[in-house]
Amino acid sequence: MSEHSLPQTPRQIWMGLLARAPAARLAELCPDLPPHEVLRAPEVGAVMVEGRIGGTGQPFNLGEMTVTRCALRVGSLVGHAYVQGRDKDHARRAAVLDALLQGDQAARYRRQVLDVLQAEETTARATRAAKAAATKVEFFTLVRGDDQ
Amino acid sequence: MYVAVKGGERAIENAHAWLAEERRGDPGIAEMSIAQIRAQLALAVNRVMAEGSLYDPDLAALAIKQARGDLIEAVFLIRAYRTTLPRLGSSCPIETAQMAVIRRISATYKDLPGGQVLGPTFDYTHRLLDFKLAAEGEMPPPPAPTAPASCEDVPHVTAMLNRDGMIQTELRGTATPPDLTRTPMELPANRALRLQAITRGDEGFILSMAYSTQRGYGRTHAFVGELRIGTVAVAMEIAELGFAVDIGAIEVTECETVNQFTGSKTEPPQFTRGYGLVFGQTERKAIAMSLVDRALRWRELGEDFVGAPAQDEEFVLMHADNVQATGFLEHIKLPHYVDFQAELELVRRLRAEALATQEAAE
Amino acid sequence: MNPAALEGGFTNAAVQSAQAFRAALEAMARPGTLQPITGAAPPAPMSPAAGALLLTLCDSTTPVHLAGAHDCAALRDWVTFHCGAPLVGARDASFALGTWEAPQPVDRFAIGLPDYPDRAATLIVETTALGQTGARLRGPGIQTTAALSLPESAAFQANHALFPLGFDCFFACEGQIAALPRSTIVEAA
C-alpha cells in the first residue's frame, strides 16, 4: 500500500525532507527552537521495513530500521516527526519545524530550511547519479574480419 | 542437564578485563572510530545490518568494534539490541523500481533501458593486493569521474519480459506478511516468510546452498536477470496523521534471477523467477538469496523434489540463522559436568559387562 | 485527530512503563491483590489504571477491542496515537477494554490454541469499585485463599475450566488494578 507514486501534499514532502536530512545539517540550519510543549517525548524504536516479492508482488519483511519519533505543540500547532536513526534532537527539531511550517512563519522556514535541504539533497543525488553514469557500459560491436 | 556452579566470578571479571584490553590492542596504535569503521569497512557494516536485521550503520559499526571484528558476534549484539526497541510499526513496501541506482547490471540483455551501470564494483579488479594501501598517510583518491545522468526511474528487466508473457508475474498484493521475529517459524512457510528468513540468514550458508544448486543439487538454471544496488525511500503510514510520509532512505541490493521452466500441467513453458533483496551493498548475498528462493519454490511450481538440500525448506530455514546456530553450537562448551559423569558411569558399566561376557566365553 | 488525544501519555516512558509493567506482573502473579498503577491520563471513560495498562502492554502488534461506551472517538484516537494498536472486533482482539457488561458474551474472545495458549485475549475490565471482598479465589499465586470483588463468578468458573486455554482479566478502578488469570479457581461468595 505504498503512497510513493501518488502526488504528495506539501506536508508529506517537507516531513520526508526533514526525515531524510542529516541531523547535523538540520541543526545548523535551524539552531534555535522556539518554546514547545512535548506531547510525546522523542522515542527511539524500530520500524519493520517491507519489501515486495519479485519487486512488485506480495509484501515480505525485509528487516527493521531504527526510527525516532516525537510529537509536540508549538503554540496551537501540533508537529509530528518520524525520522530514521536514533537522534532524539533530530526528531524534536523535525517536529518543531513540522509545526512551524503549518503556521504564519511558514514562508520564512521554507526559505531558511526546506529550500536549502531540498537543494542539497538534489545535488547529492545528482552527484551519485553522475558517478554511476560514468560507469555505464557503452557497447560497440567488434567487426570480425570475414567480409572485407 | 545443567547445574548451577558458583565460584567463577573473579575469573570471569578478570577475563572481561583482559578482553577489553585485547580489544583495544596496543594503545600506541591510534584507536578506530565508529565513523572510520562505518566509512572504511562499509561492506562489513552492511553484512552486520543484513544479518542483524536492523538497518543502522552506526550501531553496526559499534558492534563490529566491540566484537573485535567477529561479524557473527557483532550480528548477535545487534540482534540483542533490537529486542530492546519498541516496534513503532511497519513501513509501506519499498519500491525498488524507484531506486536511485549506483549499480545495475543484467546478464540476460546487453542493451536495456537504463543501461548497464557497473557502479563501485570489485568485478574487473585483478585481485592483486594493493601495497599502496599499506603505506601510512594515504592521499585520498581523486573524485570518481562523472557523466551526464538522467533522473528517470530505471525499469526492472523482468517488467520487459512480462510484457509478452515470457515470465511468470508477481502480482501486487497487500497481505500482511508473517514476521518470524514475532511468531515462531512454522513449516511449511510461505514465500514471504522464507524470504525474511533468508535475507537475515548467514551469508556463508546461503552462498553454499546457492552454490550447491549450481553444481547440480536441485539445479534451476539461473540467469541474473538483473542486479541493482541503490537507495530507496522508506515510507510509513502514520496513524495519527492518516497519511504516509518518508521516514528515511536505505541502501539495498536486489537480485532477480530468470530461470528455465519447462511448464507444468497448468502452466505453459515460461521463465520463472527467484528473488533476493538484502540491506546494504551485499551483492553476493542477494544473488545467493535469489537462487535459494527459486530452489525452494519447487512445490508451488509443480517441480520434482530431488532430495537436494537447497530444496528442503526445513534444512534451509532452520539452519540459516547464524545467531541461533552459534548459540546452540557454542553452548556445548559450557559446563556439562553432570551429563558427562553419567556418560562416564554408563560406559564403565558397559565395559565391565562386555569384559565379563568375554571372560565367561573364554 | 482530536488534539486532546495527543495528551495523557507517559511523560517518562522508560521508567513509567517499567513500573506499570511491574504492577501488572504483581497483579497477575498474586490474584486478588490490589496494585497501584500510575502515569496515564486518558480521556473519559477510561480509568488512569486501564490507560497505564494499555500504554504498557499494547502496540501495533496487539489488536485492541474497545467495547461499549469505551468505543468512542476520543478513546479511539488516544489508543491510536499512544499505543499504535489496531482497533478490531472482539474475535480478533489481543486486548479488550470495557465495563464487564460491555464485551458480553465473553466467549467471543480468543482463548489460545493447545500449541500456543498465549494467543489468548486479555480483558481489561473497568469497575467502579475494587476491593478484596466477594468471590473466593484459590490457585497459583495464592497461599490459601483470596477475595476479590468480581462482577460475577460463573463466567470465570467456565473460563477456568478451559485451562490451559482461556482469557485473562485485569480489573481497573481509578489508579488501581487487580487481576484474575485463567489459572485461578473462583468460588461464589
Side-chain angles (χ1 to χ4, degrees), chain C residues 28-181:
Chain C
M28 272 291 171
R30 301 180 215 289
T33 61
L34 306 184
Q35 306 290 337
I37 184 169
T38 55
M46 201 194 303
S47 65
L53 277 178
L54 282 185
L55 290 179
T56 306
L57 301 177
C58 298
D59 68 8
S60 60
T61 62
T62 54
V64 169
H65 174 64
L66 298 176
H70 284 72
D71 188 17
C72 60
L75 280 190
R76 281 197 295 267
D77 284 354
W78 195 82
V79 171
T80 298
F81 177 71
H82 291 283
C83 306
L87 300 174
V88 296
R91 285 179 202 288
D92 302 318
S94 300
F95 290 88
L97 174 70
T99 60
W100 180 244
E101 294 72 30
Q104 299 296 336
V106 287
D107 61 7
R108 296 176 299 159
F109 291 100
I111 57 168
L113 304 168
D115 285 356
Y116 297 99
D118 55 304
R119 294 181 189 171
T122 300
L123 313 188
I124 301 172
V125 180
E126 300 268 28
T127 61
T128 48
L130 199 54
Q132 291 177 301
T133 56
R136 217 146 60 106
L137 313 182
R138 290 188 295 117
I142 303 169
Q143 191 150 28
T144 51
T145 60
L148 189 62
S149 52
L150 296 180
E152 64 166 289
S153 298
F156 301 110
Q157 287 162 348
N159 185 51
H160 172 72
L162 301 169
F163 188 85
L165 305 186
F167 54 78
D168 305 294
C169 288
F170 283 106
F171 299 93
C173 177
E174 291 165 12
Q176 278 193 318
I177 54 167
L180 190 72

Side-chain angles (χ1 to χ4, degrees), chain B residues 42-52 71 75 202-204 282 322:
Chain B
L43 300 191
V45 167
N46 286 344
R47 182 167 177 185
V48 170
M49 292 198 298
E51 294 171 26
L71 297 191
V75 168
D202 182 75
E203 180 172 316
T282 41
N322 54 27

